[in-house]
């Protein structure tokens, strides 16, 4: 199993993780220590290149909740059962301000990191 890690800087870009047929088994999104200043949405795409946020249609999404109290670091997990989510083309990720929106998140709204767990092949 491979793990692709996006740091906080990469979370502000449309990113291609893998450009081949694969199975995605899980996604972990870490919230920064000081929390997010606004809601963020992690969008996952079945694509062999960097997705176009707001144009391409996501196959999965995670809304990252705001912490109840500043200083609480958390992890949001999405786990795909039965061997994982099959992706025909590859995996792309965008972090946007609204679900399937075209606006990428600002620095203060970026997750601390995103880990995508996958295996190549189908």
């Amino acid at each position: 199993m491979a793990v692709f890690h996006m740091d906080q800087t990469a979370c502000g870009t449309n990113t291609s993780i893998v450009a081949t047929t694969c199975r995605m088994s899980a996604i972990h999104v870490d919230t920064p220590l000081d929390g997010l200043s606004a809601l963020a949405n992690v969008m996952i795409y079945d694509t062999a290149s960097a997705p176009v946020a707001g144009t391409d249609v996501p196959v999965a999404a995670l809304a990252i909740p705001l912490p109840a109290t500043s200083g609480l670091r958390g992890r949001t997990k999405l786990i795909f059962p039965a061997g994982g989510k099959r992706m025909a083309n590859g995996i792309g990720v965008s972090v946007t301000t609204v679900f399937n929106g075209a606006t990428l998140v600002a620095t203060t709204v970026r997750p601390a990191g995103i880990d995508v767990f996958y295996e190549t092949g189908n």
Side-chain angles (χ1 to χ4, degrees):
M1 177 181 306
V3 180
F4 181 88
H5 176 75
M6 294 175 65
D7 65 11
Q8 194 167 29
T9 302
C11 290
T13 63
N14 293 310
T15 304
S16 176
I17 292 175
V18 62
T20 188
T21 302
C22 60
R23 288 179 290 129
M24 181 174 48
S25 57
I27 303 166
H28 295 174
V29 181
D30 291 324
T31 306
L33 287 173
D34 55 353
L36 300 177
S37 63
L39 292 175
N41 295 276
V42 177
M43 315 301 292
I44 307 297
Y45 303 87
D46 185 349
T47 181
S49 59
V52 179
T55 301
D56 293 337
V57 178
V59 296
L62 286 110
I64 308 305
L66 295 172
T69 306
S70 184
L72 295 179
R73 182 177 180 145
R75 173 173 278 175
T76 302
K77 296 180 183 181
L78 178 60
I79 299 171
F80 298 97
K85 173 83 174 144
R86 296 184 188 282
M87 309 293 268
N89 302 299
I91 303 171
V93 175
S94 293
V95 184
T96 60
T97 56
V98 297
F99 174 78
N100 202 25
T103 304
L104 297 174
V105 292
T107 303
T108 57
V109 188
R110 292 180 189 159
I114 299 173
D115 294 319
V116 178
F117 299 82
Y118 68 92
E119 291 183 37
T120 57
N122 220 354

